[in-house]
Every structure is written in C-alpha cells, then in structure tokens.
Amino acid sequence: MTRILLIEDDPHIADVVAFLMEEDGHRVDRATDGRLGWELFQKNRYALVILDLGLPGMHGWEVLENIRDLQPGQALILLTAQGEEPDRVKGLTLGADDYIAKPFSNAELKARVRNLLRRVPPRPEVRVHGPIRLRPESGEVTVNGGELLLPPHEFRLLDRLMSHLGQVFTREQLLERMYGEEVDITDRAVDQAVKRLRKKIQKRAPEFDGIETVYGQGYRLRSL
Ligand code: CA
C-alpha cells in the first residue's frame, strides 16, 4: 500500500482527495494546517505529498521548501487555487513535480497521481516464508541467508506457491505457470520439480517441510 500525505485545510476538498486516493488503494494521512503537515512529514516516509498552498500554520511555500531541503527526491503535487498562474510556475520552479488546479476533475487527479507514482521507483517486493526469501523482480531466492540457484521453471513454481500461501494448485495450473502453453510436457514434470525444490531448500533448512502434497488435488505451501 502506498502512503500519501495530504496537507489541505479545506475539509471538503480534503475529503474528496482522500476518498479518491483510498479508492485507488492508497493510505492517506491528513493534515489540516501546514505546521502539522510538516511535522507528519518529518516523522514518516511518504510515497507522495499532496500539498495545498493557502494553509494556516505554515504557508504551503514554506512547507514545500522545507520538504525539498529534507528530502530532495520527494514526489510532490501542489494543489493550486483557480487562476493562480504565477504560483504554478513558482511551484514547479521550487521543485513540485506537478500541480493540479482547483477545481479539478476526479479522473484528472487520479491520472496525475498514477503517473507520478509510476515514475517513483517502488520499493522492491520480497516474499518471505519461514527461512525462504524470494524477490520476484530480480529472481533471487535465499534460504537461511544462502543463495539458492533455481532454473526459471522452479523459480516460477516457488513464486506461485509463495504468493498464495495455503492455496492448493493443481498440477495443470502449476505446469502452465512453469512452462506456459508448451504441449509436450506432462504433469509428472511438476512432481519432479517439487521434489527437486524440496531437496534444495532442505539442504539449507533441514527442518523445512512446507511444500505439501494434497492428495488427489495438487500442491500448496502451508501457512506458517
Ligand atoms: Ca487552502
């Protein structure tokens, strides 16, 4: 979940922005004045700050400059009042990534936030299960800290099981995940891959027996 800091004193606008962001799956911390917003920013890490300019406590410009001093790379969108063209230029000059003029359309706000968040590199995802750590993007797997070298189909098998703990997959489902639509591979390839995977994991974590055979159904990774 992406954490967003919203600094906006108009409760109606703040409600709308928070609602739209939460609808997109983000978590929103709200501040109704500049000083409180600045305090929250210093305490937490945010993927994005949405900042109004006309704020009590501390003006938006000051908040923006403070944020830039502390975190030069912070993604930030300014909310500007209608017709404040010079302010927009100043905002972009001071290092806001984007601005949205009020009144804004809901779709525009969402689209601009999505665009900006796409440019901000996300923290790499790590799946952790007992002694196993798996990074879906880089293809790295470690067991008790030692690297496990897996061929791609075994990696995809493990990734599938780890991303859906407790869920039973049939051999057909796993096979498709491992090899795509290749037709000349039989279900037995899944059994063999599971066997090899268990052995490789147990070499570094002898007590680990999380990959379960579910009789008549398939395989699952047991929840801890
Ligand atoms: Ca305001």
Side-chain angles (χ1 to χ4, degrees):
M1 203 186 324
T2 304
R3 207 167 170 190
I4 294 175
L5 175 60
L6 169 63
I7 311 175
E8 165 64 75
D9 62 317
D10 181 320
H12 174 66
I13 294 173
D15 278 350
V16 172
V17 174
F19 174 79
L20 293 172
M21 294 301 100
E22 281 160 7
E23 209 174 40
D24 270 4
H26 307 307
R27 177 181 157 186
V28 181
D29 287 358
R30 291 164 63 155
T32 49
D33 77 66
R35 197 164 303 281
L36 180 61
W38 171 234
E39 278 168 21
L40 278 176
F41 182 81
Q42 290 169 280
K43 278 188 213 142
N44 306 297
R45 293 284 292 157
Y46 294 101
L48 173 68
V49 176
I50 301 177
L51 175 66
D52 176 36
L53 282 176
L55 288 168
M58 184 189 287
H59 194 272
W61 291 132
E62 206 182 333
V63 179
L64 175 60
E65 284 184 286
N66 287 346
I67 287 176
R68 276 287 164 261
D69 284 345
L70 191 67
Q71 296 281 352
Q74 175 64 52
L76 188 144
I77 292 179
L78 280 182
L79 287 176
T80 65
Q82 204 176 9
E84 284 181 330
E85 198 61 41
D87 277 2
R88 296 178 187 181
V89 175
K90 186 174 170 185
L92 295 173
T93 310
L94 274 179
D97 295 286
D98 203 354
Y99 62 84
I100 295 167
K102 299 178 204 172
F104 50 82
S105 87
N106 295 355
E108 185 195 3
L109 176 69
K110 282 189 171 193
R112 283 173 182 265
V113 167
R114 279 186 204 134
N115 273 338
L116 188 52
L117 288 177
R118 220 175 287 144
R119 298 207 312 255
V120 180
R123 233 173 275 168
E125 194 186 352
V126 186
R127 304 196 205 288
V128 179
H129 183 70
I132 312 170
R133 294 172 76 87
L134 180 148
R135 294 175 185 274
E137 282 157 73
S138 64
E140 275 174 284
V141 182
T142 60
V143 176
N144 280 332
E147 199 177 346
L148 211 63
L149 293 169
L150 300 177
H153 66 277
E154 285 176 28
F155 176 83
R156 288 194 289 268
L157 170 65
L158 183 61
D159 182 43
R160 190 61 173 171
L161 295 173
M162 284 187 81
S163 63
H164 296 76
L165 289 181
Q167 185 180 327
V168 181
F169 291 96
T170 65
R171 287 175 175 76
E172 290 74 24
Q173 286 171 330
L174 292 173
L175 199 62
E176 199 189 323
R177 192 73 185 180
M178 289 160 64
Y179 294 102
E181 296 288 342
E182 276 183 57
V183 284
D184 56 344
I185 293 171
T186 68
D187 292 2
R188 272 184 44 77
V190 178
D191 301 330
Q192 287 162 355
V194 167
K195 207 170 154 184
R196 279 194 299 268
L197 207 48
R198 279 176 177 148
K199 219 168 149 184
K200 286 176 190 173
I201 293 169
Q202 281 170 351
K203 219 169 158 183
R204 295 193 179 274
E207 77 289 354
F208 184 81
D209 65 345
I211 305 178
E212 249 184 329
T213 308
V214 183
Y215 184 72
Q217 295 182 54
Y219 293 99
R220 76 170 158 205
L221 193 57
R222 197 187 312 120
S223 308
L224 291 175

